[in-house]
Amino acid sequence: MKLILSILLAGLSTAGIAQDLPVSHYKIYSTSAQKIISEDDIVNDMANADVLFFGEEHNDSTAHYLELSLLKKLSEKYPQKTALSMEMFQTDCQLVLNEYLAGLIREKNLITDARTWPNYKDYKPMVELAKSNHLPVIAANAPTRYTNMVTRGGLDILKQLDAQAKSYLAPLPIDTATGAYYDKFAKIMGGHASMPGMQIYQSQNLWDATMGWSIAKFMKSHSSFKVLQLNGGFHSGEKLGAVAQLKKYAPKLRVLNIATYADDSFDNPNWSKFAGMADYVILTDPKLPKTF
């Protein structure tokens, strides 16, 4: 099975034309309809939405396949009206990304100058699909050097940046979105008592706010587009994080979200366990290989 999946994923063409992955490897559940659905159902639901957040586990090979499949289906249903937005590229690399999509620079320059993630191979088929079909790709994430600044000195330290640096970030001041999101963040950090201070949480908010702002800014001039946003699951689960930040910048945008897990309950899932996480919950077979 591992060999078969490896061959399948390796065979995704640079144009992003994927073969069908057996549905036995994943299950898609609609929390509103309370039933198993298909990718096509999600794409059809996008008729009444503007942005689809896909919350992934970064090493889940099946999730990457589904992201590519959804992007392909959206681009077919909304030709020249579909955009890909990615946590995996930082805002100060938008120019480099645009140059690659336009065929002006080589892939090796993209990888070096756009500081692609170590597992860029997992996202390459989507970038290549966008390139082949002339789809915009939004470099949505805050530059790491600025999130590191906030981790050390808090959000106020960003006031020291010049105008160009600030243009790569969501407008200051950044809303720290306390409440449910803060409690959730503190829990994964080991509890409120384990938090060394607010700076780490503030850097998380800078991340989220910049992704939300990047989408809002794009949609301001591309109001008829459908955007597929890729990010780690925590950033969009329960429509907190980047989803909540987006809604502050563009309250009229209609948002759907997906939460994806390689879960041990795959064979017999208790869907109610995941009901509050997203509009759609995708469980992938945990026995399948990870990409790293």
Side-chain angles (χ1 to χ4, degrees):
M1 180 65 72
K2 289 184 179 181
L3 177 60
I4 292 172
L5 184 63
S6 297
I7 293 171
L8 174 65
L9 294 175
L12 299 177
S13 76
T14 56
I17 307 302
Q19 302 176 47
D20 289 335
L21 184 69
V23 293
S24 58
H25 294 337
Y26 61 90
K27 298 174 182 177
I28 306 175
Y29 184 78
S30 167
T31 57
S32 60
Q34 298 185 15
K35 65 179 183 180
I36 300 292
I37 62 168
S38 69
E39 298 160 72
D40 289 330
D41 292 320
I42 297 177
V43 172
N44 290 337
D45 287 349
M46 283 297 291
N48 297 310
D50 304 298
V51 183
L52 176 62
F53 278 78
F54 194 116
E56 65 167 35
E57 293 178 324
H58 296 317
N59 64 351
D60 188 341
S61 56
T62 307
H64 296 314
Y65 162 84
L66 290 169
E67 289 166 343
L68 174 62
S69 180
L70 283 170
L71 179 62
K72 182 174 182 290
K73 289 175 181 291
L74 280 169
S75 66
E76 290 171 347
K77 190 174 181 68
Y78 301 99
Q80 304 308 308
K81 294 290 183 180
T82 298
L84 176 64
S85 179
M86 304 179 71
E87 175 193 356
M88 300 80 198
F89 287 102
Q90 298 173 13
T91 53
D92 62 338
C93 298
Q94 185 71 65
L95 175 63
V96 178
L97 181 55
N98 289 347
E99 289 171 343
Y100 178 71
L101 294 171
L104 300 176
I105 63 173
R106 295 173 295 178
E107 183 184 63
K108 74 173 190 177
N109 298 118
L110 173 75
I111 290 171
T112 301
D113 296 352
R115 308 189 300 275
T116 59
W117 284 15
N119 66 322
Y120 176 66
K121 62 180 174 56
D122 295 330
Y123 306 102
K124 174 179 175 176
M126 287 170 270
V127 174
E128 294 301 324
L129 174 62
K131 183 180 180 183
S132 298
N133 290 275
H134 308 291
L135 309 179
V137 180
I138 304 166
N141 206 0
T144 302
R145 61 186 180 275
Y146 300 139
T147 55
N148 287 345
M149 279 178 60
V150 173
T151 299
R152 297 193 313 272
L155 280 169
D156 282 346
I157 200 170
L158 297 177
K159 296 175 182 177
Q160 300 176 34
L161 296 174
D162 66 19
Q164 182 177 352
K166 289 176 182 175
S167 73
Y168 297 133
L169 305 172
L172 301 179
I174 303 291
D175 189 331
T176 54
T178 53
Y181 193 56
Y182 175 70
D183 292 339
K184 185 178 178 181
F185 185 81
K187 184 177 180 180
I188 68 164
M189 295 295 291
H192 292 276
S194 300
M195 295 270 285
M198 287 294 288
Q199 294 95 322
I200 295 177
Y201 177 65
Q202 288 176 343
S203 64
Q204 176 81 7
N205 279 259
L206 176 60
W207 231 343
D208 292 327
T210 301
M211 285 192 281
W213 172 249
S214 297
I215 298 169
K217 187 167 58 171
F218 176 85
M219 290 298 288
K220 189 174 182 179
S221 57
H222 299 80
S223 59
S224 61
F225 270 62
K226 305 296 183 182
V227 175
L228 174 62
Q229 157 73 13
L230 309 184
N231 52 249
F234 192 88
H235 290 290
S236 54
E238 301 176 69
K239 293 190 178 176
L240 299 173
V243 180
Q245 295 285 3
L246 171 61
K247 294 295 286 183
K248 289 173 186 173
Y249 299 125
K252 293 184 179 180
L253 286 182
R254 301 162 299 173
V255 176
L256 294 173
N257 71 325
I258 296 170
T260 311
Y261 309 92
D263 196 83
D264 289 335
S265 70
F266 179 78
D267 292 327
N268 186 29
N270 175 9
W271 293 112
S272 62
K273 168 185 169 184
F274 305 99
M277 292 305 297
D279 295 297
Y280 314 101
V281 176
I282 300 178
L283 295 188
T284 63
D285 190 342
K287 297 185 290 296
L288 295 175
K290 303 300 182 184
T291 64
F292 62 89

